[in-house]
Amino acid sequence: MLIADSLAIAGRHLPLLEPTSLVVARGELLLVAAEPQPTRTALSLGLSARMRPTRGSVSWSGNAAMRTVRRVSALVDSPEINEPEAHLKVRDLVAEDLALQPGPIWRRNGIDAWMKKHHIDALANEWLDAIDPLERLGLLTQLALEDRGVELLVFDSPDRHGIPEDDWLRFLESVATGRRAPAVMAVVQRIPEHWDGSRAWAGRVQDKLAAAPEPEEETEAAAAPRENSEESEAENSAAVAEPIPDDAAPAEPTTALTASKDLP
């Protein structure tokens, strides 16, 4: 599970990312809305531990070391960061990515064998910018998952290529619920209206985090043993029976995670 706690990234003049808190588990697809593109990219880099936050943290399974989060995450198709160059052919992209996979060379799949295994051998000599955008997204996803250590996929603006909403949404859901069951996050311009799964917004606390009650701390009085049990019961009864004044001031919120922006 990945947890971002008040993750914020400063820009040269203005903040790139306001404090953002969210959580995503393996086998789950989380859509995160962010504007403009630099904010989407900063958030994607921060969530995949490829940019050090100015404030806050990201952690994977309770480990907040950036090296750990970076090792289990893959950043997919981030504009001007790692999106493939349009002049590449599919076979060239596959060759480059497979060569960068961790592990000994003799364990890596051959280029042609890999493309045949994933049913894209017919596209081998096609230019990347000439293939169907959804096929391109599938290719980049399969290459990211070729690293067996990857448990988290962060997609930067998968909605920017003109793929119909239903199609890219269905594809990302299939990735999250597939055999590998990675945690999947898509940082998008707009969350589809019909999406009823997990969602969050840049610069805010995810709803399910904001609504989660904080664990109650045991007071010294409650923790200390009582010598007279009858006396304890009497004290408890008196405390429960005591009415609360109508004009009592409401309690101050105790959670440290508070929304910094209104819902768009």
Side-chain angles (χ1 to χ4, degrees):
M1 175 182 289
L2 180 125
I3 297 176
D5 185 3
S6 300
L7 182 70
I9 298 174
R12 182 174 298 177
H13 301 294
L14 296 172
L16 278 173
L17 176 66
E18 297 286 357
T20 302
S21 297
L22 53 82
V23 60
V24 62
R26 291 199 61 170
E28 179 185 12
L29 169 60
L30 170 66
L31 302 185
V32 189
E35 273 285 15
Q37 181 63 61
T39 294
R40 288 195 291 277
T41 297
L43 178 56
S44 299
L45 290 168
L47 292 171
S48 60
R50 283 159 175 79
M51 178 179 283
R52 188 173 296 280
T54 309
R55 291 169 47 200
S57 65
V58 289
S59 62
W60 178 260
S61 297
N63 191 330
M66 289 193 68
R67 179 181 297 181
T68 298
V69 180
R70 190 183 306 119
R71 179 66 192 88
V72 302
S73 64
L75 177 64
V76 183
D77 196 28
S78 184
E80 299 185 12
I81 303 297
N82 69 345
E83 65 178 331
E85 297 179 13
H87 69 270
L88 283 176
K89 288 190 174 182
V90 170
R91 192 179 192 283
D92 297 330
L93 173 67
V94 172
E96 285 187 5
D97 275 38
L98 292 183
L100 295 174
Q101 293 300 321
I105 295 177
W106 57 269
R107 282 188 181 176
R108 301 174 190 169
N109 291 320
I111 301 168
D112 295 328
W114 190 92
M115 289 191 294
K116 186 174 183 180
K117 175 184 176 182
H118 295 285
H119 311 291
I120 58 172
D121 44 315
L123 301 175
N125 293 314
E126 297 288 341
W127 298 104
L128 260 177
D129 61 350
I131 67 175
D132 180 79
L134 188 58
E135 289 183 328
R136 176 183 179 277
L137 182 62
L139 169 63
L140 297 177
T141 303
Q142 293 292 350
L143 287 169
L145 288 173
E146 186 65 19
D147 183 347
R148 307 308 297 177
V150 167
E151 300 178 73
L152 167 70
L153 294 175
V154 181
F155 291 84
D156 183 356
S157 311
D159 52 346
R160 75 183 189 275
H161 296 295
I163 306 172
E165 281 185 349
D166 287 344
D167 291 347
W168 64 256
L169 196 54
R170 189 181 305 111
F171 171 74
L172 294 182
E173 281 188 285
S174 71
V175 174
T177 58
R179 182 176 57 85
R180 288 279 295 275
V184 178
M185 282 191 287
V187 184
V188 296
Q189 181 177 2
R190 185 184 69 87
I191 297 174
E193 293 181 1
H194 61 280
W195 171 246
D196 58 359
S198 297
R199 60 181 65 199
W201 284 264
R204 286 195 55 190
V205 177
Q206 190 178 1
D207 290 344
K208 62 183 178 182
L209 286 176
E214 290 203 353
E216 296 182 1
E217 294 184 3
E218 189 177 29
T219 63
E220 292 183 6
R226 298 293 185 98
E227 295 182 0
N228 190 326
S229 58
E230 293 182 359
E231 183 178 332
S232 300
E233 292 178 3
E235 289 177 0
N236 289 336
S237 299
V240 172
E242 184 179 353
I244 300 175
D246 293 336
D247 59 350
E252 293 293 332
T254 58
T255 178
L257 300 177
T258 54
S260 59
K261 288 187 178 180
D262 294 332
L263 183 68

